[in-house]
Amino acid sequence: MKGKQVVDRRIHRTQQMLSDAFFALIVERGYDSITVQDITERANIGRATFYLHYHDKEQLLEESLLALFEDLTKDVELAPGFPATYQSLSIHVFQHIAEHHALYRALFKEGGPPFIVIRMHRWLASLIERRVLKAHIEQCTSNVDAGLLAMHCAGSLLALVIWWLDHDLAPAAEQLGYLFWQLISPGINDVLGIPLPESNAIPDTKKEA
Amino acid sequence: MKGKQVVDRRIHRTQQMLSDAFFALIVERGYDSITVQDITERANIGRATFYLHYHDKEQLLEESLLALFEDLTKDVELAPGFPATYQSLSIHVFQHIAEHHALYRALFKEGGPPFIVIRMHRWLASLIERRVLKAHIEQCTSNVDAGLLAMHCAGSLLALVIWWLDHDLAPAAEQLGYLFWQLISPGINDVLGIPLPESNAIPDTKKEA
Amino acid sequence: MKGKQVVDRRIHRTQQMLSDAFFALIVERGYDSITVQDITERANIGRATFYLHYHDKEQLLEESLLALFEDLTKDVELAPGFPATYQSLSIHVFQHIAEHHALYRALFKEGGPPFIVIRMHRWLASLIERRVLKAHIEQCTSNVDAGLLAMHCAGSLLALVIWWLDHDLAPAAEQLGYLFWQLISPGINDVLGIPLPESNAIPDTKKEA
Amino acid sequence: MKGKQVVDRRIHRTQQMLSDAFFALIVERGYDSITVQDITERANIGRATFYLHYHDKEQLLEESLLALFEDLTKDVELAPGFPATYQSLSIHVFQHIAEHHALYRALFKEGGPPFIVIRMHRWLASLIERRVLKAHIEQCTSNVDAGLLAMHCAGSLLALVIWWLDHDLAPAAEQLGYLFWQLISPGINDVLGIPLPESNAIPDTKKEA
DNA sequence: TCCTAAGCGAGACGGTACGTCTTGTCTTCCA
DNA sequence: TGGAAGACAAGACGTACCGTCTCGCTTAGGA
C-alpha cells in the first residue's frame, strides 16, 4: 500500500520535472525547435524514461496545459456569483494569462504548437457558455445557437489576450475586462433580445468584479 | 527578353503544380503528415526541384496562402462602398471561406499548420482596420486603440468562421454576415461613443450588402 | 561489467555484418557503384546505424582492410626465422592473396577504391623493411635509404601480385616466391655491397621457407 | 573548309581550357573533391558545354593524362639507342615526373583518381617491355613470361617515383636512374640467364644518359 | 536480512524525413 | 552552329529525431 504511494510519488516527481523542463524550454526557445532529447536532458531524465510516461512531446504539452487550464477553471468556478458576468470571467482569464505571460507569449508566437489557439478558443468558449451564456439564454426565447455565441465571445476574448500580450499587458486586467464587457454584451443582448439587462450596470470595475 | 519570359512561365508552372498538389494533399490527409516527397510525387516534380523554389513545406504553404488571401483582399477592395460595413466585409469573407471550405476545414483542424489561426487572425484584423474601422474612428474622439478593436472584430469573425465550418456552412453567408454585424457593431459603437449610427440600418441583407 | 560486454558483442556483431556485406558486394559489383544503402540492406542493418559506426563507406573499407592486413602481419611475424627471407615473406603474401583472391581482384580492378594500391604498397614496404631489410642493412655500411629499398621491393612484389591475379594464380605461390627472390635479392645485395650471401642458397623452397 | 577549321580550333581551345583548369585544380585541391562545376567555372565555360565534350570528369582526366603519357612515350622513343637501357629509360621517366611533379604528387596522394596507379603501372610495364625487355628476351632461351618481368620492372620504377616525390626529388634523376639499373638488372639477368651483359657498364651517369 | 519488483539511465538499433549536393539532360537564346 | 544560362529529374549523401528495445542499477517494500 505504502510502497505504491512511494512509487507514485516517484513517478509524479519525474513527470513534474519533465513538465517543468518543457515549459522552461518553451519560454526560452519556442515550442517547435525542442526535441525530446532537450527536455530529458534539462530534466535530468533518461530519454527512454520519457517514453514510459508520454508518447511524444505533444502529449506532454497537452497534459501540462490541461493542468494549467484547470487552475483557471477552478478560479472561475469558485468565484462568487452565478451566472458570472463577462467582466468577472474575463478578468479571471486576464489574470491567469498575466501570471503565465511568458509561457503564453511563447505558445502563441510562430513556432508554437499547432493546436494551441484553436484548443484554447474552444475551451474558453465552453467555459463562457457554461458560466455566463446558458443562464442568459434560458431567460429568453431566442433561437440563436448558444455554441455560436460562445465562440464569438471566446474569439473576442482570445483576440484581446493576444493583443494584450503583444502590448506588455498594458491596461490593467480590470480595465480590459470592462472593455470586453462593453464590446461583447450589447451585441449579445441585441441578438438575444434582452432589453439592456447588464447595460444598467454602472461601469464600475469594483462592483462588477 | 523572350527567353526570360519562357523560363518564367516554366518556373511559374512548376510552382503552381507544387501549390496545387500541396492543397490537394492537405485536404486529403491533413497538413502535418505530408512530406516534401509526397508533394513532389503528386506534382510530378523532382524532390530537389522543390528545394530550388522553397526552403521547406512551410514556406510553400505560406506563399500559397498569401495568394489565396490576396484573392480575398482584392474582392473586398474592389467592392463598391467605402468604408465597408461589418456586414459586407464579413460576407465577402464567408463567401471566400465557402469557396475553399475543404481547404480551410483541413487547415483549422488538429494537425494543421502551427501558425495558420494567428496568421489569419492578424490578417483579418488588418483588413478590418483598413476597410472599416479607420473611417469610424476618425469620426469620433475616442482614444481606444484601433488595433485592439480590429483584433476584437477579427477574433469574432474568425470564431464565426470556425463555427460555420463545423456546422456545414449551415446559415447562408448573408445571414451570418448580418449576425456578425449585430454582434459586433453595438459594442464597437458603444466604445467609440457613436450614437447608434448603424443601428438604424434596417436589418435587410440586400440593402447592407 | 557484464552489460558492457553484451553491448560490445552486439556492436561487434553489427560491424562484422557490415564488413561482410561490404566485401560480398565488392566482389559482386565492384567498389565504387556500392552505396551505403546497398551495404546496410545486405547486412540487414538500418542505414542510420551504419553512420553510428562509420562516417562513410571509405572508413568501413579502411577498417575492414586493416583487419585483413593484420591477419597477414600476424602470419608473417609468427613464422619461424628472423630475419625472414624475401622468399618466405613473399610466399606468405601470395598465400594471403590467394585466400582472398576474389576480393583483391575486385579491389585492384578499375572502379576499386582510390587509395588501395598505394596503401597496400606502403604497407608491404613497411612489412618488408621491418622483417627483412633492417637486418641486412645493419650488417653493412651502405648509406642507401632503407625506405627506398623497401619501396622497391614492395613495388615489385605488388606487381607480381597484380600479374598473378590477372593470370588465375597460375604458378604456385612457392614458385612465384622463388622468382621474387631471384629478381630482387641480387640487386639489393649489389646495392648494399653484400657479397652474394643469399645467392649461395640453393633455390630449394623448403630450405628457404 | 576554312569554317570547319575555325570551329575545330574553337573546340580545341575549349577542351584545352577544361584540361588546364582541371590540372590546376587537381594540384590545388586534389582530384576527388573537384566537381564538374568547379572545372567549368575555372575554365570560364558553361557547365553544359563540358558535357558536349566529355561524359564525366574521369573521361577528361583520362584524355588529359593520355596526352601527358604520350609526351613521355615520344621522349623515350626518339631517344637514340635501341634497345634502351634500364637506366636511360628510367631517367626519362624521372625527368618527366620532375617536370610535372606537382601534378603527379597530387595524383598519387590520397583522394587521387582511383585508377591512376594501376594505369600508370601497366603503361610503364608496356613501355619497358617494348623498349628494353623484348630485345633481351630474344637473346636467350628463357621461358619466363615477358609481361611478368615488365610488371616487376614497372612496379619497382613506380615505387622509386613515389618515394622520390615524397622526398622532394632529392637525388638527381640520373642517380636514381643508376640505382634503378643496379636494383633491377642483376635480378632480371639472373632470371634470363644472361651472363652480366650490362654489369660491365661503368656506373658513369653521363655515359649512360 | 535477503528478495524482488518497479522506476530509471544508458545507449544500440531500425526507421523516416530532412535539406544538400552533384550529376547528366534538356531547352532557349545569343554571338 | 557552338556555347552560355539555367531549370529540371534523379538519387546518394550525412544528419537529426523518433520510438523501441534490452540491459543493469538502484531502491524500498515484503518475505
Side-chain angles (χ1 to χ4, degrees), chain D residues 1-195:
Chain D
M1 205 69 230
K2 239 200 296 180
K4 185 82 163 108
Q5 278 172 27
V6 170
V7 166
D8 280 0
R9 195 151 39 227
R10 218 170 132 197
I11 292 179
H12 183 262
R13 195 180 144 277
T14 298
Q15 298 187 345
Q16 194 59 49
M17 290 176 72
L18 286 170
S19 188
D20 291 351
F22 195 20
F23 278 164
L25 284 168
I26 286 173
V27 169
E28 282 174 29
R29 319 193 340 221
Y31 171 82
D32 73 352
S33 76
I34 298 171
T35 68
V36 172
Q37 180 89 269
D38 294 330
I39 301 169
T40 55
E41 260 167 27
R42 167 72 69 114
N44 283 315
I45 296 278
R47 196 166 66 89
T49 306
F50 177 94
Y51 292 104
L52 290 180
H53 298 285
Y54 307 99
H55 184 335
D56 52 23
K57 75 170 177 174
E58 201 148 308
Q59 193 196 339
L60 169 56
L61 179 67
E62 217 151 338
E63 304 203 356
S64 302
L65 284 184
L66 201 69
L68 204 61
F69 284 173
E70 270 166 10
D71 282 356
L72 174 48
T73 307
K74 252 169 231 154
D75 280 5
V76 170
E77 297 191 337
L78 296 180
F82 181 87
T85 62
Y86 296 110
Q87 209 166 338
S88 68
L89 188 145
S90 70
I91 287 172
H92 275 120
V93 171
F94 291 129
Q95 282 168 343
H96 169 83
I97 294 287
E99 257 176 71
H100 307 281
H101 65 273
L103 177 61
Y104 280 109
R105 229 190 297 264
L107 290 174
F108 286 151
K109 146 179 97 187
E110 301 240 335
F115 55 80
I116 182 74
V117 187
I118 293 222
R119 194 85 119 225
M120 190 145 186
H121 192 160
R122 294 193 195 281
W123 177 81
L124 281 176
S126 137
L127 188 66
I128 291 171
E129 189 175 349
R130 282 196 333 271
R131 303 297 300 175
V132 186
L133 278 174
K134 218 161 212 167
H136 290 203
I137 287 171
E138 280 163 4
Q139 292 172 14
C140 65
T141 55
S142 163
N143 58 355
V144 181
D145 186 277
L148 176 53
L149 295 183
M151 284 296 279
H152 158 72
C153 296
S156 167
L157 182 51
L158 197 52
L160 298 200
V161 162
I162 291 169
W163 179 91
W164 201 41
L165 287 169
D166 267 3
H167 288 76
D168 293 316
L169 317 181
E174 288 76 14
Q175 264 138 352
L176 215 54
Y178 174 62
L179 180 63
F180 176 63
W181 165 77
Q182 266 191 302
L183 286 168
I184 280 293
S185 81
I188 296 277
N189 292 338
D190 239 41
V191 166
L192 291 180
I194 297 172

Side-chain angles (χ1 to χ4, degrees), chain C residues 110-172:
Chain C
E110 300 241 334
F115 55 82
I116 182 73
V117 187
I118 293 223
R119 194 84 119 224
M120 190 147 185
H121 192 161
R122 293 194 195 281
W123 176 82
L124 281 175
S126 138
L127 188 67
I128 292 171
E129 189 175 349
R130 282 198 331 274
R131 302 296 301 176
V132 186
L133 279 173
K134 219 160 212 166
H136 290 203
I137 287 171
E138 278 162 8
Q139 290 172 16
C140 65
T141 54
S142 163
N143 58 355
V144 181
D145 185 278
L148 176 54
L149 296 183
M151 285 295 279
H152 157 72
C153 295
S156 166
L157 182 50
L158 197 52
L160 298 200
V161 162
I162 291 169
W163 180 91
W164 201 42
L165 287 169
D166 268 1
H167 288 76
D168 293 314
L169 317 181

Side-chain angles (χ1 to χ4, degrees), chain C residues 12-28 34 38-45 50 54 60-61 63-65 67-68 71 100 103:
Chain C
H12 184 262
R13 192 180 146 278
T14 297
Q15 297 187 344
Q16 194 58 50
M17 291 176 71
L18 286 171
S19 189
D20 291 350
F22 195 19
F23 278 164
L25 284 167
I26 286 174
V27 170
E28 282 174 29
I34 298 171
D38 294 331
I39 301 170
T40 54
E41 262 166 24
R42 166 72 69 114
N44 283 313
I45 294 281
F50 177 94
Y54 307 98
L60 170 56
L61 180 66
E63 304 203 355
S64 300
L65 284 183
L68 205 61
D71 281 356
H100 307 282
L103 177 61

Side-chain angles (χ1 to χ4, degrees), chain A residues 84-114:
Chain A
T85 61
Y86 295 110
Q87 210 167 336
S88 67
L89 189 146
S90 69
I91 289 172
H92 274 120
V93 170
F94 291 129
Q95 283 168 343
H96 170 84
I97 294 288
E99 258 176 73
H100 307 282
H101 66 272
L103 177 60
Y104 281 109
R105 231 190 296 263
L107 289 175
F108 286 152
K109 153 177 93 186
E110 301 240 336

